[in-house]
Amino acid sequence: MTMIEKAQVTVKRDRREELIDELVSQQRRFHALPSDLSADESAQVRRRALGEVAGTALEHIGHYSMDAERASRRNCENFIGAAQVPMGVIGPLHLKGEYVDGDVYVPMATTEAALVASTNRGCAAIREAGGATVRVEEAGMTRAPVFRTSGIEQTQRFLAWVREHQDDVRAVTDATSRYLHLLDVRPYAFGTTVWLRFRFDCGDAMGMNMATIACDKVVTEYIEHETGVPCIALSGNYCVDKKPAEINFQEGRGKRVFAEIVLEAPVLKKYLKTDARHLVEAQYRKNLLGSIAAGSRGYNAHFANVLSAVFIATGQDPAHVVEGSLGVTCIESRGPEGVYASVYLPDLPVGAIGGGTELATQREALDLLGVRADPKRPGAAAKKLAEILGGAVLAGELSLMAAFTSQDLARAHERLGRGQLPPGSRI
Amino acid sequence: MTMIEKAQVTVKRDRREELIDELVSQQRRFHALPSDLSADESAQVRRRALGEVAGTALEHIGHYSMDAERASRRNCENFIGAAQVPMGVIGPLHLKGEYVDGDVYVPMATTEAALVASTNRGCAAIREAGGATVRVEEAGMTRAPVFRTSGIEQTQRFLAWVREHQDDVRAVTDATSRYLHLLDVRPYAFGTTVWLRFRFDCGDAMGMNMATIACDKVVTEYIEHETGVPCIALSGNYCVDKKPAEINFQEGRGKRVFAEIVLEAPVLKKYLKTDARHLVEAQYRKNLLGSIAAGSRGYNAHFANVLSAVFIATGQDPAHVVEGSLGVTCIESRGPEGVYASVYLPDLPVGAIGGGTELATQREALDLLGVRADPKRPGAAAKKLAEILGGAVLAGELSLMAAFTSQDLARAHERLGRGQLPPGSRI
Amino acid sequence: MTMIEKAQVTVKRDRREELIDELVSQQRRFHALPSDLSADESAQVRRRALGEVAGTALEHIGHYSMDAERASRRNCENFIGAAQVPMGVIGPLHLKGEYVDGDVYVPMATTEAALVASTNRGCAAIREAGGATVRVEEAGMTRAPVFRTSGIEQTQRFLAWVREHQDDVRAVTDATSRYLHLLDVRPYAFGTTVWLRFRFDCGDAMGMNMATIACDKVVTEYIEHETGVPCIALSGNYCVDKKPAEINFQEGRGKRVFAEIVLEAPVLKKYLKTDARHLVEAQYRKNLLGSIAAGSRGYNAHFANVLSAVFIATGQDPAHVVEGSLGVTCIESRGPEGVYASVYLPDLPVGAIGGGTELATQREALDLLGVRADPKRPGAAAKKLAEILGGAVLAGELSLMAAFTSQDLARAHERLGRGQLPPGSRI
Amino acid sequence: MTMIEKAQVTVKRDRREELIDELVSQQRRFHALPSDLSADESAQVRRRALGEVAGTALEHIGHYSMDAERASRRNCENFIGAAQVPMGVIGPLHLKGEYVDGDVYVPMATTEAALVASTNRGCAAIREAGGATVRVEEAGMTRAPVFRTSGIEQTQRFLAWVREHQDDVRAVTDATSRYLHLLDVRPYAFGTTVWLRFRFDCGDAMGMNMATIACDKVVTEYIEHETGVPCIALSGNYCVDKKPAEINFQEGRGKRVFAEIVLEAPVLKKYLKTDARHLVEAQYRKNLLGSIAAGSRGYNAHFANVLSAVFIATGQDPAHVVEGSLGVTCIESRGPEGVYASVYLPDLPVGAIGGGTELATQREALDLLGVRADPKRPGAAAKKLAEILGGAVLAGELSLMAAFTSQDLARAHERLGRGQLPPGSRI
């Protein structure tokens, strides 16, 4: 290092200390660091400042391998580093779908003891039974702007206009992205309020962003202009994004997913330590009557657990687990001592591109699943992911329901939460 | 390195290749690696095997700094590494609560462009307005085993027994952990089915595990034994864990959180680019009427977004965001041109110990918040976290609702999702 | 009277006493009276027998003027007479609809003190404000048989078959009645269960019966036959008849009705003893936030009260009030001191023919409304009734909401329930 | 008749014509007839006027035997006569309850063909099986005023005050009626809104009126006065009256009713033309999965039908059928070929005094049931009525569910709606 280089380093270091001081003293905002700092440098400055404020170093948060430049621009402002979420793997999970066929290993990022072990046990049972049948339907990504009218008569005229101009509307929305196609527009109205629930096919993207962009365009540049009816909010909560909602249960959102399996007595006994009678009764009193008693729209054991683990691993939006938690598990007697088990997820927004899917570990996780967008089969990668999620959720339901019947639920937690690892049971 | 050492390395390498081969060929299960392998070694073997199966290396997943030994025992079986979720920071968020008082910087782990920037904008408005009032109530962690009776008369006798033995029941549950205290038992019954919803104070733990352990103990060793009424499943879905449910909306679960702020016209204009009239109308047509139209129990803009980001950063269970998505945002005119804004979260299960809170990055994130269990004030750390979450959610609501009124929502996304970072708007 | 005639009378009287004895001693069932007895005679015999059993005469129940022969065959088996429900009248109610235009007097059969007076007060306000705008949409009468399949794949084939044969299905259903026309079939499916929600236009009939007959025909004679998929119940509760349900809130059922009015300050003050500010706040805290807090799908003050009174008066099915109770009242500021008020009823099954509409008093009540089916305008009479109901419900909402703001609610009840009649307030 | 008397009659007649003219020409309001007219005379004048307006006589409406003076003061303003609703009877219904024990004949006022016949068939099955077990619990009549506070802190103070003054509050409410006793007050609050759900035991009255009077008193004279927190509406829709609501499903309202029976194969076959297997499957796919698919809180076949018929016959408030429609039917296999069947009604507001119960035909109907308030056993008569309703609803469920399995549902309607009466099936 030459003297000049050394001097530059010192200047740089001094300037950094200055920035840190400014952040600590609140003279400078965390998002207002100089643009010539690299993302890694900015992150370090922020961590150092926070460390001073909180009296604690943020070393581990600074330990990451992702492309900070890209992440800080596309995923997370005021970037300081990364949360490391432990990742495990289950499988092989044998699936027979339209977009997945054969064995997959599914990555799960979770901090909940026993979740991976338990879901893995479900995979073993499914594998032994010859694989689960899975199917996915495009429910469409939705966005529902809300409008204000003067009352019944203007609403009627407005809705008539929308009906008559559906093709024109589509021309505008579909021009915003070659990946987006407007499927239809569902209106709902009362009093002086009108919602238009736009439903898009977004190919391999989860699509919330592109749906919003398309809606913004068509609303501000076409609908409001032509009708004079003002849009009050581009999302009118009739979409419904990241809230549990009946319209999504009825109409679906994102992908609508189905998975099923028939398990005979030997599989139930060997892999799940249970039998048909106990499983069917637990299903009846817990998943059906229990959810009825509670007024829950999740008639299942724990869709949300499996979904959140795979969502985080693969860069999906974890807030969409709210929607994924809706749905129904069925377990019915089949044959003398077997069961038919199925899961139904009406509302599962997922994507193979965009959002968090391009981040380093998330991309690897998707590659592990063989989920990668193919221009020749647009939408197929996202649908494959949805089918896999259906299968994984089914595995999770089977194992947990079986664990309840074995009443070893809490005991398993006791062991696993404290560090011993007998496979297969969980809460 | 001596010859012997070299030989040992070779043997070790050979053995590893052998294990990898066995995993790849499905002769060995992923959870059945030899116990003398360290967690890091096992993770590497698994990654190598998966890499062969999927034809892709899992390099980044192998890049972590957490204690793999501990994580693989306490958090995640079949451990292969970590998902790196980008972390940003918002703040200072100025809060006036019972457990938090003053400025906090809140870490958010997210992959959704604009979320951090937008929530941060809400913090600025709150700060400028003098800080948000926040409060938390202990709603209690719940678990509701389901029982089978012969019908009305046995149910009546069973419920009478439970009422009469509530103290004895508490003696059993509370003996399972010094951190757990049974608050009460709420019964629900019809036909041949009975649920007992146990409600526990679990101190600084989120408490689902210890509640389950306590229930298991009292059910199998006391209640079933004394009454002869069989428990069918230790969780009867009347708890309700990780599903949206009315009983949780009514009775609460985990923590019940309130936050509020009054914003005058200058703050609305300068920090949120909006005014009272537009905010109040968007609130009315979106958060109230929109959620009513949709049949949603989330009368808010995006509780789930902020919660999931802070949950992942701080080691909370992300599947609990399903419950956190329930609740109500209010925005009302206050004074000539100001607004009163509040958020209400009836169902927020969080903890400061246990679960993912001891992981490396998660612990740092909690330290940044000053959330650390103190034996002298049991429960205070978890309640502090809950109050902070209430404040952060309020910030998120203010900013997004304001963005809707500015109709710059989609345009912001367009910019942010593609890498430019003007602060403040998001979907 | 000749001797023979006298003897016959005696014989008849003796035989009657005998029948009464048989009924009292449970040797004969109440529905098994000899068919040569007239309906009036059978009713008398039953009343006499019940009188002996209960030790009380049923004189008033025997005081009726309807055609017993017809009523006992078409409306009510084991006929014993009639319940007399007090009937009052409100109006004139001034309405501006597509099917009603001008003043109507609306009969209400009720036992609830103050209901008629209160609703009448609402009519006065509406009249003074120039009349309410009302509109009705055909949501269609629905019936949803439920089927069992073997799982996902058979379900997919079944639904594909239904889609492909929709015209053939319609040919079968529409042949069962010239008043019935199949609008569409909405499927819903998960696991091994499939529902087909048939939606019919039934002209002036409420249509539940003809919809059931059409479904029975097409299911048993066509769909089951062609597909081999068995129907488990002709109503699979996805219809949904006489239960509160989300699918009806979303898709509507029977008629979907809208009514609205703008009221200026003088009208609010003179007729409703209130002002805009108080009305709007009561609306906000009661009809919106209160129903949200309660988890109710009736965001209104008392739709059910007005509906049940007019339903009983006009021979509608009072159990359908369950569905009619769903819906939303809006009251918004309009102009400096006025309000815009509206009601929305998504699910109102009504008819102008069939059911109880042909009974003597009910027919008179319908005639009073000018509701009479006209072959030249099929469906117009039922739609007129629906529009009138919308207007009456609006009147009821305005008056009760105003009464709440005057806080004279309970005091009014105190007076009215005890027999004094100052017009205008009620609970 | 003397000349003077004749002259008076003429005068009277002339005056009547004059009044009629004034009504017809809208110079006089219908509620503003001279107070010296008897109720019968006023009713006649109104009918005559309406007859002129509508061009139709209201003869049958004028045919009634009730005490018009009383009805027009206590039940129905602007009295014009009565709706005659056909009444039938079912039974004997054999019940084993705490308030009813033995056979009852149950009056049903309905216009729906086949309802009485079908429910009667259910009674036969119950009778043959030895009678149904029935139980009732006092859920309490509720009223929930809504208050406005300035935010979190005032709400906390307000709720603390209410908790501390519960006894004082009770002293005020209970002084308003010797039949009313405050059980407890359940608060709910968010933002600036607070509800206090008062729960009263109202003895033999349904109690909505006395609950409202008590609330009005304690709110306006005590709570507002002491706390300065204003009540915005005496009913804040958290009660919840006559709207379907979760809080009522969870906490109950009025009476909470349970009924059950075990039916063996011979009874199923002989009386219900069905068997256990078919019944259990219809229950599963219709009452459970179907209501789940539809998002309905009525997991039953047709509670509302039976309830509305008995409600109208016995002078209950028919709008309360909205609440009664909530609840769960269970049908489970029991023994080799039998079933256990139960109904659960969490929300059934009924009374034996007040409201419509004192009207002539309604009183007779209650006497037929042996439901008459006894000062020595306050509340027992209302509870007896509730138990009977539970039994009748069970009979209705059994028969209709059986009819579905026989697939003769629609065919039965076809016959019955057109006037033939084979007993036993219905929609």
Side-chain angles (χ1 to χ4, degrees), chain A residues 133 135 150-153 156 186 188-192 238 246-247 249-251 256 258-260 328 330 332 334 340 342 344, chain C residues 133 135 150-153 156 186 188-192 238 246-247 249-251 256 258-260 328 330 332 334 340 342 344:
Chain A
T133 301
R135 287 292 184 282
S150 57
I152 292 172
E153 292 177 9
Q156 286 188 324
R186 178 193 170 94
Y188 203 81
F190 54 79
T192 59
Y238 191 66
E246 289 300 331
I247 186 69
F249 199 100
Q250 292 299 335
E251 296 289 306
R256 197 189 279 264
F258 305 82
E260 73 184 5
V328 188
C330 291
E332 303 164 4
R334 181 71 64 103
Y340 164 92
S342 68
Y344 166 59
Chain C
T133 301
R135 285 294 184 282
S150 57
I152 292 172
E153 292 176 9
Q156 286 188 324
R186 178 194 170 94
Y188 203 80
F190 55 78
T192 58
Y238 191 67
E246 290 300 330
I247 186 69
F249 198 101
Q250 293 300 335
E251 296 289 305
R256 197 191 279 265
F258 305 83
E260 73 184 6
V328 188
C330 291
E332 302 165 3
R334 180 71 65 104
Y340 165 91
S342 68
Y344 166 58

Side-chain angles (χ1 to χ4, degrees), chain D residues 8 61 97 155 226 241 304 354 364 405 411:
Chain D
Q8 282 175 335
I61 291 173
T155 294
E226 294 293 312
D241 194 44
E364 287 179 356
T405 63
R411 286 180 291 273

Side-chain angles (χ1 to χ4, degrees), chain B residues 186 188 238 249-251 344, chain D residues 186 188 238 249-251:
Chain B
R186 178 192 170 94
Y188 203 81
Y238 190 67
F249 198 102
Q250 293 300 335
E251 296 289 305
Y344 166 59
Chain D
R186 179 194 170 93
Y188 203 81
Y238 191 67
F249 198 101
Q250 292 300 336
E251 296 288 306

Side-chain angles (χ1 to χ4, degrees), chain C residues 123 159 164-165 172 203 227-228 231 245 286 301 312 334 346 377 392:
Chain C
C123 292
L159 295 183
E164 284 157 22
H165 293 77
V172 177
T227 65
C231 173
K286 172 189 170 65
I312 293 172
R334 180 71 65 104
R377 291 186 71 204

Side-chain angles (χ1 to χ4, degrees), chain C residues 148-159:
Chain C
R148 182 221 301 140
T149 71
S150 57
I152 292 172
E153 292 176 9
Q154 194 183 23
T155 294
Q156 286 188 324
R157 288 194 302 272
F158 183 56
L159 295 183

